[in-house]
Each structure stands twice: as C-alpha cells, then as structure tokens.
Amino acid sequence: MIDMPMPDPTKPDPFLATVDGVRLDAYAALTASGPVHRFRFPSGVEGWLITGYDTARWALADPRFTKGGPGRGPFQDQLPARVVAAIDHHLLNFDPPDHTRLRRLLTAAFTRRRAEQLAPRIQELTDGLLDQLADRFAEAAGPVDLISEFAYPLPIAVICELLGIPEADRGDFRAWTGPLVNPTMFGFEDYAHAATSLVDYVHELIARKRRQPTDDLLSALIAVHDQGDRLTEDELASMVFLLLVAGHETTVNLIANGVRALLTHPEQWDLLRAEPERIGSAVEELLRYDGPLQAAIPTITSAPVEIDGVQVPAGEVVVISLLAANRDPAHLPGAEQLDITRPETSHLAFGHGIHRCVGAPLAQVEGRIALGSLIRRFERLELAVPAAELVRAPGLLMNGLLRLPVRVSAG
C-alpha cells in the first residue's frame, strides 16, 4: 500500500462543514489534488475517500467494493438487538444475492411509468402546499422557511401515501430522521431515541396493516412476507424504515438545494420561468450541481484493489463522494457553474450500478413538479439572508440545508 498522508487537518473537512459553500470548496480542493485520498471520517474511522468522477463511477460498479451486510451501522453494540435487526436488514446493506432479492420486491413500485402515474396526485399535493405558502407570505412579517413549509411536507406526504401511512401519524418523522441520517453528529441518546421510536411505530403499523390491509406498498410487502420466505420480518421492518427515511430526506434536499441554486443564479430562474419545458433537464443539472447526498453508503474492500495507482488492502473502508464527483472538472469542464441548458448532464447523484437509487424516478418526478410549480406560482422569490449565512447539516451522507428563509421580492 502506498503511504498516502491524511488531508491537512487545518483545512475544512467537507463532512463537518456547515457554512454554505465551504463544503463544495473543500471537495474541489481535494479533487484538484487527485481522485482518491486517505481520510479520517467524522466517526474517527480511517479509510479512503474517492472524489474523482471516473473513479467514483468505476468503484460504484465494482463488486470488490462491498456493503458487508448488516452489523456495520452506528452504535450497534449499544442499541437493543431488536432495534438493530429492524433497521439494519435493508437492501443498502446487502450485496447479491440478498440485495437482488430485496431490490426486486421494490422495483415495480418505483418504475418510471409508476412514478408518472403518481404525477397528478403529486401535483395536487404541490398545489395545496403552494396555496398555503402563498398565505404564509401574505401573513408573515418576516421570512418564511421554504423547507418546513414546502420542501419537507411534499416528499413526506408522497412517501407516506405510497406506503399507506395515515396523515395523523406523520408528525414525528422529521424529528426522528435528523438523528437517523446523521448519527455521529447527534450522538447515541438522540439516535437511540429516534431509532427505537421509529421501529416501535413501524412494528405497530405492520400489525395494523396485517389486520386491515389496504391498497398500498406496505400491504403488498406484508403479503409477500406472509405468503412465503422471500422477506423476513426484520427485512420487512428495515425496508419500511429505509423507505421512510431515505424515501423523503433526499427529496427534501433535492428541492431545497435546487431552489437555493436557482435563487443564487436569478438568470437561471428567469430562463426556467420563460422556458418551462426545460424543467426536466434543469432538475438533472440541479442534481449534479448540488445534489442531495454527499456520499454513497460506505463500502469495504473484499480483496486488495488498485485505485488510480494506489494499492488498497482488503478490509478497508472506502467512501465514494457523489457530490465531489459530480463537480469534477476533469469530467465536465465548467462543473462549478450552474447551467440548465447543458446538452448533457451525466451525474452520480443517484449513485450507479446495482445500488443506484431505486426511488430515482419518483424523486425526479417530485423535483420536476415541485420546482416547476414553485417557479410558475411565484414570479420572483429571493433569499432572505445572504447565501453565506445559510447553514448545512454536518454528516457523512446527506447534503442538506437546515433552513431556507425566503421572501417574495418587491422588485
């Protein structure tokens, strides 16, 4: 193994960066020095960080970078065994053949055709939230947080309706998902409370759906479990856990990051308003420019592997930065610029290979409807604070803002 030094500890750590813009600058500096780096992650674990696009795309598809199976999640030794089992047996933690079996159960629910069939209902939910947002602008004396008023409630409503979760049950989800996607930042107590609360709720919900099944994805998954051995009880609970957390948190970031990008590039906002037919390609460019995820789920090398001339032994942690790869200038000249007119916007925001996000078609439809409808409804929005005052949540996986204060521009 080449003795590659750790990054300079005096320079910003992208995973810990909270000031808007610092994270992207930190990744740009790393990528400029090469596509792969020795790195100490926020948990204290030492491993390797991939930031180059070509290297990231290759690693995402190479079976030597494995998920390693259940048992590698945060606080495994401190949580009750029943909680670990109910959140850890999902497809993001498995390699084939278990990954193949679990993914197949979800594929039909998240096809592009199925996502497009959901578009009218997503549009209806969006219009209702925009009506409420217009009322908030009219009555508010100060800025309105677009995340709490729009970017969060839309995706959670969509995934809950898909799963068949009653509206009255959705209130606690946001409080739970924060610690669940950023465990090392919140600490054990907050994580344990969130995980236990959500697991208890999921088990109760599964029991309720068994008694009274309805026409929804969760009832269909329960039927698969109860009719054979294709889905264990822990896999069923873990799948619901994954869909609830990952199924909405990433789309929240897609919408909020997209609005932030357009508001800091008003000429792009104006172009999209004048040419709304560009919304599909605009969503892809926004995903590339400031995607909802910093990194894919960490992997473990199952055998010695050479990464761009660096010999990495078996058993090493490797994290693939999707956010950095999408801005690699070696892959895309002018990658630091937002341009919704790009003829080709190849990106890794949803990953690549067998672990590419199964919910990508639904997220794309939600992003297209949410952003397109927002721009049509409000001719001019503006940030209510300078962009440098926006705060990003620290963490290994998510790339999201804590708040997005906006107001209707008088100009």
Side-chain angles (χ1 to χ4, degrees):
M1 179 177 69
I2 293 177
D3 186 16
M4 181 177 286
M6 293 285 179
D8 185 346
T10 65
K11 294 183 178 179
D13 181 332
F15 299 110
L16 300 177
T18 58
V19 176
D20 195 45
V22 173
R23 175 172 295 159
L24 292 174
D25 289 344
Y27 280 128
L30 284 166
T31 304
S33 66
V36 60
H37 317 268
R38 284 289 288 165
F39 207 87
R40 181 176 292 105
F41 298 101
S43 63
V45 171
E46 294 184 3
W48 302 85
L49 176 65
I50 292 175
T51 59
Y53 180 92
D54 290 339
T55 307
R57 195 173 191 275
W58 160 76
L60 287 166
D62 192 306
R64 291 173 296 178
F65 297 90
T66 69
K67 298 301 180 180
R72 294 177 49 227
F75 308 118
Q76 294 275 308
D77 297 334
Q78 297 169 263
L79 288 169
R82 70 173 188 89
V83 173
V84 172
I87 65 177
D88 217 22
H89 284 73
H90 55 73
L91 59 90
L92 293 186
N93 283 341
F94 284 106
D95 301 298
D98 287 321
H99 171 269
T100 308
R101 170 176 57 86
L102 293 174
R103 188 179 178 96
R104 189 179 297 123
L105 295 175
L106 291 179
T107 300
F110 290 99
T111 62
R112 189 161 303 282
R113 180 181 177 186
R114 176 61 176 148
E116 294 293 347
Q117 290 173 341
L118 293 172
R121 177 54 179 157
I122 297 172
Q123 185 68 65
E124 184 180 3
L125 291 167
T126 299
D127 291 341
L129 288 168
L130 290 177
D131 288 341
Q132 296 175 27
L133 184 60
D135 291 341
R136 287 284 290 120
F137 282 132
E139 69 187 23
V144 173
D145 177 22
L146 196 73
I147 293 178
S148 61
E149 299 292 336
F150 182 62
Y152 171 77
L154 177 60
I156 196 67
V158 171
I159 196 64
C160 284
E161 288 198 4
L162 187 64
L163 283 167
I165 295 174
E167 187 172 357
D169 293 356
R170 303 172 192 172
D172 292 328
F173 288 166
R174 191 173 190 191
W176 295 338
T177 56
L180 293 174
V181 298
N182 280 323
T184 58
M185 303 304 159
F186 278 82
F188 170 71
E189 290 188 6
D190 286 345
Y191 183 86
H193 173 74
T196 302
S197 298
L198 187 53
V199 165
D200 289 345
Y201 173 77
V202 167
H203 281 310
E204 190 278 329
L205 181 65
I206 290 171
R208 197 190 319 170
K209 292 287 183 180
R210 276 205 174 98
R211 294 191 300 268
Q212 296 179 312
T214 51
D215 183 18
D216 54 60
L217 178 57
L218 178 53
S219 296
L221 291 172
I222 291 170
V224 168
H225 168 270
D226 291 351
Q227 290 171 8
D229 61 357
R230 295 180 63 203
L231 196 62
T232 69
E233 191 75 9
D234 286 333
E235 289 170 347
L236 175 60
S238 295
M239 192 171 287
V240 177
F241 169 87
L242 176 66
L243 290 171
L244 277 174
V245 176
H248 85 273
E249 189 78 18
T250 51
T251 311
V252 173
N253 293 346
L254 186 165
I255 296 170
N257 293 355
V259 172
R260 178 253 176 229
L262 291 169
L263 293 184
T264 55
H265 297 80
E267 77 288 351
Q268 301 282 293
W269 176 286
D270 291 342
L271 177 59
L272 198 48
R273 184 173 174 82
E275 301 178 20
E277 67 275 10
R278 292 186 181 274
I279 187 62
S281 59
V283 167
E284 298 309 305
E285 171 68 352
L286 292 166
L287 282 163
R288 181 204 67 80
Y289 179 78
D290 192 8
L293 290 169
Q294 287 194 72
I297 297 289
T299 61
I300 301 291
T301 51
S302 63
V305 58
E306 181 178 314
I307 309 176
D308 282 276
V310 179
Q311 298 296 326
V312 176
E316 291 280 296
V317 173
V318 178
V319 172
I320 302 165
S321 174
L322 309 177
L323 190 61
N326 285 335
R327 282 173 161 255
D328 181 359
H331 168 70
L332 185 69
E336 76 287 355
Q337 300 169 355
L338 178 68
D339 181 3
I340 65 170
T341 69
R342 288 185 193 275
E344 178 67 25
T345 308
S346 57
H347 64 75
L348 300 175
F350 294 121
H352 175 66
I354 64 170
H355 288 286
R356 187 178 189 275
C357 176
V358 71
L362 180 60
Q364 288 165 318
V365 170
E366 287 185 68
R368 188 184 74 212
I369 292 174
L371 294 170
S373 300
L374 181 73
I375 291 170
R376 285 196 304 272
R377 179 67 69 94
F378 302 103
E379 180 175 357
R380 176 69 67 199
L381 290 182
E382 64 182 14
L383 292 177
V385 298
E389 293 183 13
L390 297 174
V391 179
R392 301 264 170 172
L396 183 68
L397 300 179
M398 294 293 168
N399 176 45
L401 296 160
L402 296 182
R403 296 179 67 251
L404 185 61
V406 298
R407 60 190 170 211
V408 177
S409 172

